[in-house]
């Protein structure tokens, strides 16, 4: 594995005083690698390299661009376990989840590889005689991709694959916490035959590398996934210079459990949504809104599940849940737990650091009951294994409580009643909805993203995710052969 940045087709070690120490959050004595941080000047060089490479890549036929992604998918498939193990060491999620994430990235590469054959526009009838009107989709230029640590492989793939197949050149800045998985992606693109400069990986801080990207007049598109705090400021800055921006940000996703729900199915889905990936998914379940008659039994089942979760290093196959990603997230989780207690929520299970795991940032799977919708634990994103349960008397009330937060990524309902299902789909304020399944998950061919404070700009993945990285050109061809005829449109 490389431990530098990759600019203009070359790996190099930035000459920088600052180094990212890439630490295993399950065992802080395990240092995976040290990455020297790239500087503002390195970032400018990456942007220049991308600008140079763009001209040639734009002219490369779409199917040929797609074939590079196809080869990348093949190479990744041969390295699945190795990439997954590295991701587990670097990010902390358990090996099974890491493997699933690698496979999802491969699906995305395959999906967008095929898109190389479909980079078409539409034809339309013109109002004017002997005139052919149609659209074409063209790449935009150099795109800036900035990603978080929680899906260190899938998110970089779901941003870079559509950007590349559309014919753009890429400058990519991964989260400082997960540079190693990002480096593997660059290695794979290189081996797959991407020409030098088309994909540039710049490992460095958000405040230096990220800022240069966001302010650069040579980057007309920025695609960001991360926190609201960073995303909102970035959006304003990039938009103020006329860039096109998409930001996918926080979530506070709810599961509504109606009185007629299959409680076992609901409890399993909530467990997987709340504690899977240590609650560090943007689509994680952090709220349950349960009908009064079934709430007590549901909480009992959830508590039993939570107590049964084995916490530890994700490299141990018997472990169900890994650590928080770093000390800061660990402290955030504990602070929110204390806050929930002081707000008057009832701690059902968990609430602290598990015993016997001194060297990692582990937090127990935690459940609060009797949570009121106005409490901060119910309103704010924790990004850890902390679940809040509230009550609702009917669907209208459940929807009101579900919609009371500023975020809008995903919601799920458990019910057998088709009228409830349809009303829920109509009224719930999230970009994705699930019926009788967990809040988590996405597929390459399906639009992914949220509304309200969660998302700005186009959906990612799917055709929408591809279109974001293109500009439409509308073409008018007059073949009347006549001159001097006035044309009014
Ligand atoms: P973050 O702190 O906002 O960081 C995201 C990225 O932005 C990192 O690469 C970071 O670099 C970079 N950055 C920081 N400051 C910057 C600046 N001034 N200019 C440009 N870039 C800058 O988010 P995170 O902690 O990595 O990820 C967790 C968050 O992501 C959660 O809120 C979660 O909900 C959200 N998320 C959302 C989705 C979704 O699709 N809605 C998916 C996954 C995660 P450094 O690492 O170097 O600071
Ligand atoms: Mg952060």
């Amino acid at each position: 594995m490389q431990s530098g940045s990759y600019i203009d087709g070359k790996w190099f070690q930035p000459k920088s005083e600052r180094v990212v120490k890439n630490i295993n959050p399950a065992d802080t004595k395990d240092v995976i690698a040290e990455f020297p941080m790239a500087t503002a000047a390195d970032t400018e060089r990456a942007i220049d390299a991308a600008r140079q490479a763009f001209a040639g890549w734009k002219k490369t036929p779409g199917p040929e661009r797609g074939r590079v992604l196809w080869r990348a998918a093949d190479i990744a498939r041969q390295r699945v376990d190795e990439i997954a193990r590295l991701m587990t060491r670097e990010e902390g999620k358990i090996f099974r989840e890491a493997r699933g994430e690698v496979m999802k990235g491969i699906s995305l590469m395959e999906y967008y590889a095929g898109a190389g054959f479909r980079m078409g526009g539409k034809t339309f009838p013109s109002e004017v005689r002997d005139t052919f009107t149609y659209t074409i989709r063209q790449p935009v230029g150099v795109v800036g991709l900035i990603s978080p640590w929680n899906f260190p492989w899938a998110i970089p793939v779901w941003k870079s694959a559509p950007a590349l197949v559309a014919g753009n050149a890429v400058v990519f800045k991964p989260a400082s916490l997960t540079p190693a998985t990002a480096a593997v992606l660059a290695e794979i693109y290189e081996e797959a035959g991407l020409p030098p400069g088309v994909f540039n990986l710049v490992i460095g801080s958000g405040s230096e590398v990220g800022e240069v990207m966001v302010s650069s007049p040579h980057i007309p598109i920025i695609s960001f996934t991360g926190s609201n705090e960073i995303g909102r400021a970035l959006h304003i800055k990039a938009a103020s210079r006329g860039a096109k921006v998409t930001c996918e940000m926080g979530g506070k996703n709810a599961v509504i459990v109606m009185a007629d729900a299959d409680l076992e199915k609901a409890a399993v889905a909530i467990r997987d949504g709340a504690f899977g990936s240590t609650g560090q998914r943007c689509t994680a379940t952090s709220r349950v809104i349960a009908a009064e008659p079934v709430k007590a039994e549901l909480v009992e089942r959830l508590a039993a599940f939570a107590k049964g979760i084995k916490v530890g290093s994700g490299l141990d196959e018997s472990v169900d849940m890994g650590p928080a990603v770093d000390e800061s997230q660990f402290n955030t989780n504990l602070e929110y737990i204390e806050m929930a207690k002081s707000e008057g929520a009832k701690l059902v299970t968990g609430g602290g650091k598990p015993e016997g795991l001194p060297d990692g940032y582990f937090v127990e799977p935690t459940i609060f009951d009797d949570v009121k919708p106005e409490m901060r634990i119910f309103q704010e994103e924790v990004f850890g294994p902390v679940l809040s349960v509230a009550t609702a008397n009917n669907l209208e009330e459940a929807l009101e409580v579900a919609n009371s937060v500023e975020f809008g990524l995903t919601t799920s309902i458990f019910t057998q009643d088709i009228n409830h299902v349809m009303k829920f789909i109509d009224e719930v304020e999230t970009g994705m909805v699930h019926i009788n399944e967990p809040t988590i998950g996405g597929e390459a061919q399906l639009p992914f993203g949220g509304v309200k404070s969660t998302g700005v700009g186009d959906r990612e993945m799917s055709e929408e995710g591809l279109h974001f990285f293109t500009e439409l050109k509308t073409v008018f061809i007059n073949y009347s052969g006549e001159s001097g005829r006035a044309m009014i449109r």
Side-chain angles (χ1 to χ4, degrees):
M1 182 201 67
Q2 299 282 349
S3 65
S5 287
Y6 178 72
I7 296 177
D8 204 13
K10 288 179 217 65
W11 289 94
F12 79 108
Q13 300 282 317
K15 294 191 187 13
S16 160
E17 308 284 284
R18 292 168 69 194
V19 169
V20 187
K21 215 173 180 185
N22 193 9
I23 286 170
N24 179 348
D27 174 6
T28 52
K29 296 194 292 287
D30 177 21
V31 179
I32 297 143
E34 294 196 347
F35 284 80
M37 299 279 245
T39 61
D42 295 326
T43 314
E44 296 287 3
R45 203 158 62 74
I47 296 168
D48 281 348
R51 289 177 72 197
Q52 300 291 326
F54 173 61
W57 187 240
K58 177 185 172 178
K59 287 210 177 308
T60 304
E64 207 175 311
R65 295 195 299 249
R67 277 187 202 106
V68 175
L69 293 181
W70 197 262
R71 285 195 294 275
D74 280 345
I75 297 164
R77 197 177 286 100
Q78 284 156 24
R79 296 180 63 177
V80 173
D81 285 358
E82 173 213 335
I83 302 168
R85 210 165 290 118
L86 179 66
M87 197 193 303
T88 295
R89 267 178 85 198
E90 173 172 74
E91 198 268 356
K93 68 181 65 181
I94 61 173
F95 179 73
R96 207 169 50 245
E97 289 166 341
R99 212 176 179 285
E101 182 180 340
V102 180
M103 294 310 294
K104 181 175 172 167
I106 291 171
S107 295
L108 283 151
M109 285 172 171
E110 290 170 342
Y111 174 78
Y112 284 119
F117 284 93
R118 296 189 297 271
M119 290 298 301
K122 286 182 184 165
T123 63
F124 301 86
S126 172
E127 294 238 41
V128 179
R129 222 174 261 271
D130 294 340
T131 300
F132 179 35
T133 51
Y134 66 100
T135 57
I136 54 173
R137 285 199 175 272
Q138 295 190 304
V140 182
V142 180
V143 304
L145 311 182
I146 299 178
S147 63
W149 47 264
N150 68 329
F151 285 101
W153 165 263
I155 292 178
V157 172
W158 89 48
K159 292 183 187 299
S160 62
L164 290 170
V165 82
N168 302 284
V170 168
V171 175
F172 166 45
K173 190 206 104 56
S176 296
L177 286 171
T178 50
T181 312
V184 171
L185 179 61
E187 267 176 25
I188 288 175
Y189 280 146
E190 179 180 41
E191 194 185 334
L194 212 51
V198 173
F199 181 85
N200 303 278
L201 167 71
V202 189
I203 290 169
S205 72
S207 55
E208 186 162 357
V209 172
E211 288 286 336
V212 172
M213 289 168 67
V214 172
S215 327
S216 171
H218 304 302
I219 300 189
I221 288 190
I222 297 277
S223 175
F224 167 89
T225 301
S227 64
N228 280 68
E229 188 193 347
I230 306 285
R232 195 163 289 159
L234 172 151
H235 177 220
I236 291 166
K237 193 170 287 176
S240 73
R241 64 169 175 83
K244 189 156 88 155
V245 186
T246 184
C247 291
E248 285 297 343
M249 300 173 284
K252 190 73 187 173
N253 312 297
V255 172
I256 297 174
V257 182
M258 301 300 290
D260 66 342
D262 176 336
L263 281 192
E264 181 62 14
K265 197 175 174 192
V268 168
I270 294 164
R271 174 197 65 193
D272 294 350
F275 306 122
S277 297
T278 322
Q280 297 176 147
R281 288 177 167 121
C282 49
T283 55
T285 306
S286 60
R287 302 183 294 150
V288 169
I289 302 159
E292 182 60 40
V294 294
K295 196 192 75 163
E297 191 188 335
L298 179 69
V299 170
E300 214 168 280
R301 285 175 196 245
L302 289 172
F305 276 149
K307 286 180 187 134
I309 289 173
K310 184 173 174 193
V311 180
S313 163
L315 294 171
D316 173 348
E317 298 233 356
S318 72
V319 159
D320 303 306
M321 193 181 95
V325 73
D326 68 352
E327 189 177 1
S328 156
Q329 185 62 53
F330 170 80
N331 289 332
T332 301
N333 295 347
L334 295 182
E335 280 159 26
Y336 269 104
I337 288 168
E338 289 314 308
M339 183 197 297
K341 287 189 207 161
S342 69
E343 286 182 303
K346 182 173 130 202
L347 181 65
V348 176
T349 183
K353 189 174 161 49
E355 278 168 25
L357 293 165
D359 295 323
Y361 301 117
F362 296 100
V363 176
E364 290 173 312
T366 298
I367 300 176
F368 284 101
D369 195 2
D370 295 340
V371 178
K372 301 280 171 287
E374 58 278 8
M375 291 180 185
R376 284 182 63 189
I377 192 67
F378 201 79
Q379 291 289 328
E380 297 176 17
E381 182 179 54
V382 179
F383 225 52
V386 182
L387 181 69
S388 297
V389 183
T391 315
N393 291 312
N394 50 49
L395 182 66
E396 284 63 38
E397 215 176 285
L399 282 165
E400 198 184 315
V401 172
N403 291 340
S404 72
V405 300
E406 69 162 305
F407 302 107
L409 189 56
T410 167
T411 322
S412 160
I413 190 167
F414 281 79
T415 180
Q416 310 296 331
D417 183 331
I418 185 67
N419 296 336
H420 281 162
V421 168
M422 300 308 287
K423 281 197 185 105
F424 165 78
I425 295 170
D426 280 351
E427 300 297 329
V428 78
E429 295 168 354
T430 50
M432 297 178 284
V433 297
H434 297 264
I435 317 303
N436 294 324
E437 63 164 43
T439 54
I440 52 180
E443 297 185 27
Q445 71 283 11
L446 299 173
F448 183 93
V451 300
K452 293 160 75 176
S453 289
T454 294
V456 174
D458 288 6
R459 292 287 184 272
E460 298 197 83
M461 303 205 247
S462 73
E463 213 179 0
E464 276 75 8
L466 177 67
H467 289 172
F468 174 70
F469 291 110
T470 67
E471 287 288 7
L472 264 186
K473 188 171 274 175
T474 307
V475 185
F476 303 77
I477 301 176
N478 183 290
Y479 55 90
S480 67
E482 294 168 13
S483 58
R485 194 177 74 190
M487 191 165 41
I488 298 161
R489 269 203 176 90

